[in-house]
Structures are given as structure tokens and as C-alpha cells.
Amino acid sequence: SMLPVLTYAQKDTHNDESKVPNISLPDLFVNSKGQEINTIQEWEYKRRPEIVNLFENNVYGTMPKAIDALNFTIVNEDKMAMNGMATLKEIDIEVIYRTQSATMRLILFIPNERDEAAPVFLLINHRDPENIDPTRTIKMGFWPAEEIVRRGYAAATFHVKDVADDDKVTFTDDILSKLYPEELEKENGMRGLGAWAWGAMRAMDYFETCQDIDAKKAAVIGHSRGGKASLWTGASDPRWAITISNESGAGGAAISRRKFGETVQRINTVFPYWFTDNFNKYNNNEALLPIDQHMLIAAMAPRAVYVASASEDLWADPKGEYMSLQLGTRVHREIYKMKGDFPKAINSPGNPVHLPYAGHHIREGKHNLTPYDWNLFMDFADNYFRFNNE
Ligand code: GTR
């Protein structure tokens, strides 16, 4: 068969479509008081905030907003980066809260050739820092910065380690213990993924002050665990015009109730520091969840959302990711009356679906973020920004 063999550690899970249980999902259009949601007003003032709140309390943890001061220090600037094609800025973003301070590094390449402030893609990088080498001695397809700049976008990124190390012991060392230690005491407090989303928001804080960047045309993107954080960023911070999930899978775009590939129980066991403690209540008990991940997609509405999968990445449940996108974007269609819809069956590799408000593709191959994916994200953004010009 074409299914990859599950490793020993994965054997408590399955990737067999015939084992997917019959599921019924929470209704997007009925709020907790039983009221029907029909209008933009009701969506924006009642249902959307309630959904974000449910994700905070049950999945990603609360998002602390308190900051006393933000300092942006350009620690390196090169106006002739990439052979003169871009200006490189390395910015230390220092966040001060109460008596404490924490600093993260933002890497930013801004195209030199342009008439206006540049639209921007921010990558949440969880992989080896060589993937985001600011010197460009090492160039990885995971972050094809030259290609991004060539297409007229600023290429921005930071490493998650600056805000919360991707490690079950040391994840608290940065912003959690320094700025927001009370989060660690709460069952619905912020954990690793929430901290990474917080980091993305601080990058946005910088974009809003930077004349060379058009902060209204910003896309946030992450791969896998970074994609889970990216979705949470876009859902909880409406400043992002486009939110992109690349193969985010469980706790990202995939529907939890399908229990296909990685499950809630498995992710909470292997990565206990990613989600809030409350998420454990749903281990092998997905039916109790007051949300499912299609509602995270919905939380972007009316802003754009893009979900990408890979054909061999069954661990991330491509079908469940697509289902979330189809269902979550009902808000775009039914509340905001946006045109176009996704085909019922998942499209095949090589046939991306780009609607005015949402996009999807499935790439041939394995779990990864590649230039092929990036080019499709930029194709989508080209269109989106062309038609949504303020
Ligand atoms: C896996 C994990 C996934 C995904 C992936 C990645 O080990 O089970 O949820 O996050 O790592 O980040 O590449």
C-alpha cells in the first residue's frame, strides 16, 4: 500500500480512513447561549470572540497583552544585502513588563526596488537557525528569502527559541518565567505555542512602526508546529491579513475528532509544553471539546487563510486539514457573502485551489516547507493584495 508504515512510537494511532469515527462537530453558527449567528455584527461581536476565548481556555492558553515598553534596536543593517536587492535589518525587540525584560531577534529583508511600503511574510521558525541565516551563506528552501524578495515581499522571521525554547523543560526560560510567570500557574495559561504566537505579534508591533513595511499587508506563516502557532497568531490577532498553515496537523488545521494520524492524546503526551493543561482533558475524549479546529480557521474570517498539506504527510491528516478549511470558511461565504467555494473532494497535487479569501494545495511528497509551497503562498497573496487594496 502507499501508506507509510507507522513507527513504533506512533503505533497507538492510525492512518486508516476506515477507522475514522462518525463525528459531529460543534456548530459554528450557534453560540453558547443557543443563539443563531447570521450577521456580520453577530459574528464579530458575539461568536468570533467567544470562539477565540474557547481556544484560549481549552487549547492554546490565554494570551497576555500587558507590556510596559517595547524597544526596537537595529543591531545590524545592510542596505546592499542579497547583492543589492534588499536591505537587511536585524532588530532586537525588547519587551519590558513590570521590572523584567525579554528580547527577541527579528530578521528582515526589505526589497530595495519598490514604489511603496512592502507587503511582508513573517515565518515562525522552529527549525535549526541555519534555515534563517541572515548572512545568506546558507540558503535553505525552508525560507527562500531571495525568492520572497524577488517577488516584491519583505521576508521576515524569528526563531521560537527567543520566546520559548522548543523543549519541555526549558520552554519557560524566556518570556514565560521572565514576563508572565503567573501563566505557568494557570490551567488555562500560556505555554509554548502561545508564546510563539506572542512572538509573532511582537514582530507585527515592529512592522507597524516601520515605514518600509505595509503592516496592513502582512502574512504569518509556519510549518508544522510553527503552523499551529501561525494559526493561533492569526486567530487571536486580527492585524494579520493572511494566515498560512503549512502541514500543521494535530492542534493546527486538522480536525481533532477524526483521530487520524497524530491524536490529541499523543500530542499532549509527547509535547506536554505546547498546549495549555486543560487540553489534556480531551485526551481520547475529543467529543467533549467545545470547539474543533475548523473553528480556528473560522476565527480568521473575514481575513484570508491558507492551508497546505503534503501527500505523504499522513501524520498531519491532509484530509482533516482540508475539512477544517472547507468548514471554517463557511463564515467567509455565508456571513460575508464572499464568492467561490472549495471543491467537495480534496484536490490532487499540482492543482491548488486559490479562492479570493482562502487557499489550499497539497504538495507531492513528505512533511516539509519548500519553495514550491512558498511560491503558491505568494501567488495567493499577489491576488489577495491586488483585490483588497485599501
Ligand atoms: C511532530 C509532531 C507534529 C509536528 C511535527 C513538526 O513530531 O508530532 O505535531 O509538530 O513534529 O513540527 O515537524
Side-chain angles (χ1 to χ4, degrees):
S1 101
M2 308 238 322
L3 299 183
V5 175
L6 295 174
T7 65
Y8 177 75
Q10 296 173 353
K11 113 180 144 43
D12 53 338
T13 70
H14 70 84
N15 54 11
D16 178 351
E17 195 58 39
S18 72
K19 288 193 184 148
V20 171
N22 280 327
I23 57 177
S24 84
L25 295 171
D27 195 331
L28 253 182
F29 299 112
V30 178
N31 74 3
S32 60
K33 298 197 185 100
Q35 300 166 319
E36 260 189 54
I37 305 300
N38 296 303
T39 67
I40 291 178
Q41 225 82 1
E42 288 165 344
W43 171 252
E44 291 183 0
Y45 294 100
K46 289 188 178 166
R47 188 59 170 150
R48 187 184 169 279
E50 176 177 79
I51 288 172
V52 173
N53 201 259
L54 288 168
F55 276 105
E56 284 199 348
N57 285 324
N58 296 287
V59 186
Y60 305 102
T62 49
M63 179 60 71
K65 303 265 162 39
I67 284 175
D68 288 335
L70 271 173
N71 297 317
F72 304 115
T73 308
I74 311 229
V75 292
N76 181 33
E77 179 163 7
D78 177 3
K79 296 201 160 94
M80 292 299 287
M82 297 178 172
N83 295 319
M85 187 168 67
T87 295
L88 165 65
K89 290 186 187 188
E90 291 181 74
I91 303 121
D92 271 355
I93 303 178
E94 183 192 22
V95 180
I96 299 175
Y97 183 47
R98 297 176 289 216
T99 59
Q100 300 292 311
S101 132
T103 300
M104 60 180 273
R105 171 74 51 87
L106 179 68
I107 300 170
L108 175 61
F109 287 98
I110 306 166
N112 284 336
E113 206 179 303
R114 62 189 157 78
D115 309 321
E116 309 170 319
V120 61
F121 276 83
L122 175 76
L123 170 69
I124 300 174
N125 180 45
H126 68 276
R127 286 222 183 143
D128 193 298
E130 73 174 15
N131 282 290
I132 56 169
D133 179 13
T135 72
R136 307 311 290 157
T137 315
I138 306 169
K139 296 190 182 80
M140 305 285 266
F142 194 77
W143 189 52
E146 286 74 11
E147 187 59 23
I148 297 169
V149 167
R150 210 169 284 127
R151 292 193 56 162
Y153 293 93
T157 187
F158 68 98
H159 200 282
V160 298
K161 188 177 171 23
D162 280 3
V163 281
D165 197 12
D166 191 9
D167 177 278
K168 65 167 164 270
V169 178
T170 54
F171 79 100
T172 60
D173 286 3
D174 302 287
I175 68 158
L176 277 161
S177 66
K178 288 179 184 157
L179 304 181
Y180 306 116
E182 58 280 356
E183 293 295 314
L184 294 167
E185 308 300 319
K186 303 190 303 189
E187 312 219 302
N188 68 344
M190 183 165 79
R191 298 291 181 268
L193 291 176
W196 303 346
W198 180 96
M201 294 176 197
R202 303 294 73 80
M204 173 57 92
D205 293 343
Y206 175 74
F207 299 152
E208 289 186 320
T209 71
C210 178
Q211 291 184 343
D212 298 322
I213 299 291
D214 186 347
K216 295 229 155 44
K217 294 183 181 165
V220 60
I221 160 171
H223 166 66
S224 205
R225 66 196 71 186
K228 307 178 210 292
S230 165
L231 287 173
W232 181 228
T233 305
S236 39
D237 180 357
R239 292 177 297 176
W240 299 91
I242 304 178
T243 301
I244 303 168
S245 146
N246 196 67
E247 302 157 31
S248 59
I255 296 281
S256 301
R257 282 169 174 79
R258 279 173 48 81
K259 303 179 74 154
F260 185 103
E262 189 170 27
T263 60
V264 171
Q265 167 156 5
R266 155 85 195 197
I267 203 166
N268 279 327
T269 308
V270 181
F271 303 103
Y273 60 102
W274 281 358
F275 301 93
T276 206
D277 302 357
N278 280 342
F279 199 36
N280 285 303
K281 291 187 197 158
Y282 308 101
N283 289 348
N284 223 348
N285 217 353
E286 292 81 358
L288 273 192
L289 277 163
I291 42 77
D292 210 314
Q293 299 303 112
H294 65 303
M295 294 161 83
L296 187 65
I297 302 290
M300 314 306 166
R303 293 164 297 128
V305 55
Y306 195 118
V307 169
S309 307
S311 62
E312 292 173 40
D313 185 17
L314 299 187
W315 186 238
D317 188 11
K319 195 169 169 192
E321 295 184 314
Y322 188 60
M323 191 185 279
S324 264
L325 183 63
Q326 286 175 310
L327 294 172
T329 54
R330 285 183 64 198
V331 179
H332 296 80
R333 292 184 295 277
E334 294 172 37
I335 303 283
Y336 291 94
K337 314 292 179 204
M338 293 179 182
K339 296 277 182 291
D341 198 351
F342 287 101
K344 202 166 176 331
I346 190 166
N347 50 301
S348 52
N351 293 300
V353 180
H354 288 181
L355 304 175
Y357 56 88
H360 176 268
H361 72 257
I362 179 160
R363 176 176 47 72
E364 196 85 63
K366 294 196 168 52
H367 188 63
N368 201 359
L369 172 59
T370 72
Y372 174 89
D373 300 307
W374 275 101
N375 274 310
L376 287 171
F377 300 145
M378 291 190 279
D379 289 348
F380 175 80
D382 286 353
N383 264 322
Y384 187 71
F385 292 138
R386 190 164 326 122
F387 292 113
N388 293 277
N389 235 324
E390 269 143 299

